[in-house]
Amino acid sequence: MIEQDAKPFLYVVVCAAGVAADVGTLIAAAHRRGWEVGVIATPTAAADGFFDTAAVEESTGRPVRAGARRPGDPRPFPPPDAVIVAPATFNTLNKWAAGIADTLAVGTLCEAYGLGVPLAVLPCVADALAAHPAYQESVARLRAMGVRFGDPYTGEPGKGAGRREFGWERALDLLDG
């Protein structure tokens, strides 16, 4: 067994939000904490340049996945020991809670729940969308399923000049407790 195989494997599901450009921060933190990482992106996050897929592939040593593999193709990732969704968007959270597995990303989340692996979410949802009853119901359902949520992030400017920092490492903390 090579050392890489001895480490726990973390799936990071990346959704299409502006802060996704900094997903390397989470990957680096996960590596420092002893995780191997594989990234699964929503189709929009992968295709529309929300993050640098080449940089992510270089840092993880694995392809970024956004689509299903064909029958008979090898699995590029081992089974997950945990899954983080960051940034988690309104659309992805609502589809996951409803069990609508129409993308690899959401299908992976639905399956991960069934596998019983720890699931952590860093939501990135505007206040106007977070006020929608469907979103509130989705968050309640996911929490009831044992999904661990970090503080909501709207991307809106905070007090002072800039935006509040997105809590990438908080997702890892959620897995610990």
Side-chain angles (χ1 to χ4, degrees):
M1 176 183 289
I2 61 174
E3 183 165 333
Q4 178 177 346
D5 292 335
K7 294 181 180 181
F9 201 86
L10 175 67
Y11 286 12
V12 174
V13 175
V14 181
C15 301
V19 296
D22 295 325
V23 70
T25 303
L26 174 57
I27 295 166
H31 286 157
R32 285 191 303 275
R33 294 190 191 192
W35 292 92
E36 287 296 320
V37 179
V39 173
I40 299 170
T42 63
T44 302
D48 292 349
F50 278 84
F51 65 99
D52 184 342
T53 56
V56 165
E57 289 175 346
E58 184 175 328
S59 69
T60 64
R62 298 179 185 275
V64 171
R65 298 200 56 214
R69 62 184 175 81
R70 286 186 261 172
D73 284 352
R75 294 181 181 273
F77 301 162
D81 293 295
V83 179
I84 291 173
V85 190
T89 60
F90 177 84
N91 192 46
T92 295
L93 291 171
N94 283 324
K95 289 192 322 184
W96 179 17
I100 301 171
D102 63 343
T103 66
L104 175 64
V106 180
T108 297
L109 296 173
C110 291
E111 184 177 42
Y113 169 75
L115 293 172
V117 300
L119 297 155
V121 173
L122 294 181
C124 184
V125 178
D127 287 340
L129 291 172
H132 194 284
Y135 180 75
Q136 296 299 317
E137 292 168 11
S138 293
V139 169
R141 173 178 263 181
L142 292 168
R143 285 183 193 276
M145 292 166 51
V147 176
R148 302 163 190 175
F149 276 78
D151 293 334
Y153 181 86
T154 65
E156 296 296 320
K159 295 180 180 177
R163 296 189 197 292
R164 178 170 63 87
E165 202 57 45
F166 190 70
W168 292 106
E169 289 201 48
R170 176 68 178 126
L172 294 164
D173 297 339
L174 291 168
L175 294 176
D176 293 335

